[in-house]
Amino acid sequence: MAAMSTTRNKKAEQILKGAMPEFLEHGYATTRMDQVAKTAGVSKQTLYSYFEDKEGLFTALIEYVARQKFRLVWSKPLTGEPRQVLTQLAKRIVTEINDPDYLCFVRLIIAESGKHPELSQLFLENVAQPAIAIFKAYLREHPELKIKEPEVVAHIFVGTLIHNILTQNMLSGHTIIPMEPERLINNLVDLIVN
């Protein structure tokens, strides 16, 4: 039974990996399921046996991408001296989110959020919400930081880093309002630790 489940999961992952470049190249509206099947190396029948329709496929892709990125950033426990922990966490966030394909995927989710707000909500539920919860819990566990509002500080920390990545890379801010990640991280950590 476990072998069948593993095989099914591998096939679903194969389809999701084939779907990603199609959605990135064609956008949500013009991506065709037959082309996804071809890129994924499966039949249309197999594709539809895993994903009922394009919306179901895109929803699964959001969950898949969110889980992968979330795991890369947040899988390491937040233990140790706060300045070191916050600096390492910030660097992981900047490194993992600053991936061209990932940023294109975020851009696609934003573009679809007007017609399909449930997709952007799903993305936030799988990335931002658990990230803020983990960081808030860490701040609560460190009373020496004297943080009155851990949830607010968690929003500020995560939000500042994401805002910088989006403005610098997606909106070409690096030419208009340049900000080096290292400088931002050091000052952000100083604000919290001091």
Side-chain angles (χ1 to χ4, degrees), residues 63-113:
E63 290 173 337
Y64 174 75
V65 170
R67 274 194 315 271
Q68 296 299 316
K69 283 297 177 183
F70 185 84
R71 184 182 51 76
L72 289 170
V73 173
W74 296 93
S75 63
K76 295 180 182 171
L78 301 181
T79 56
E81 184 272 322
R83 179 176 297 281
Q84 180 182 2
V85 169
L86 299 181
T87 301
Q88 289 173 350
L89 175 61
K91 287 180 179 179
R92 280 198 310 271
I93 290 171
V94 168
T95 300
E96 293 304 329
I97 293 177
N98 201 7
D99 167 51
D101 285 345
Y102 182 71
L103 291 175
C104 286
F105 191 64
V106 170
R107 182 180 286 124
L108 180 58
I109 293 169
I110 292 168
E112 291 301 320
S113 66

Side-chain angles (χ1 to χ4, degrees), residues 4-183:
M4 182 182 279
S5 179
T6 302
T7 302
R8 185 158 177 79
N9 289 342
K10 284 184 180 180
K11 185 63 73 173
E13 186 173 353
Q14 176 184 340
I15 294 168
L16 292 170
K17 286 180 177 179
M20 179 68 133
E22 291 302 315
F23 280 115
L24 291 181
E25 183 176 343
H26 303 290
Y28 179 80
T30 57
T31 292
R32 295 184 356 255
M33 293 293 272
D34 59 334
Q35 189 58 44
V36 169
K38 183 177 178 183
T39 302
V42 299
S43 68
K44 278 178 65 175
Q45 182 180 356
T46 300
L47 173 61
Y48 281 109
S49 73
Y50 282 85
F51 304 101
E52 188 175 313
D53 54 21
K54 183 165 58 171
E55 186 174 338
L57 175 61
F58 194 63
T59 298
L61 186 58
I62 290 172
E63 290 173 337
Y64 174 75
V65 170
R67 274 194 315 271
Q68 296 299 316
K69 283 297 177 183
F70 185 84
R71 184 182 51 76
L72 289 170
V73 173
W74 296 93
S75 63
K76 295 180 182 171
L78 301 181
T79 56
E81 184 272 322
R83 179 176 297 281
Q84 180 182 2
V85 169
L86 299 181
T87 301
Q88 289 173 350
L89 175 61
K91 287 180 179 179
R92 280 198 310 271
I93 290 171
V94 168
T95 300
E96 293 304 329
I97 293 177
N98 201 7
D99 167 51
D101 285 345
Y102 182 71
L103 291 175
C104 286
F105 191 64
V106 170
R107 182 180 286 124
L108 180 58
I109 293 169
I110 292 168
E112 291 301 320
S113 66
K115 293 178 187 172
H116 301 283
E118 69 282 0
L119 297 176
S120 55
Q121 290 167 355
L122 177 67
F123 184 74
L124 291 176
E125 287 170 1
N126 283 279
V127 177
Q129 188 177 46
I132 288 170
I134 291 169
F135 193 65
K136 179 174 74 171
Y138 175 80
L139 294 174
R140 282 191 175 140
E141 292 167 6
H142 290 274
E144 74 273 17
L145 294 174
K146 299 177 182 163
I147 304 291
K148 291 180 185 175
E149 293 273 358
E151 184 175 14
V152 172
V153 174
H155 274 267
I156 291 169
F157 184 83
V158 174
T160 298
L161 295 169
I162 292 172
H163 173 267
N164 185 63
I165 293 164
L166 297 180
T167 57
Q168 294 298 299
N169 299 300
M170 288 175 64
L171 300 175
S172 300
H174 61 280
T175 60
I176 300 165
I177 50 170
M179 176 57 64
E180 290 300 316
E182 192 77 23
R183 183 176 168 209

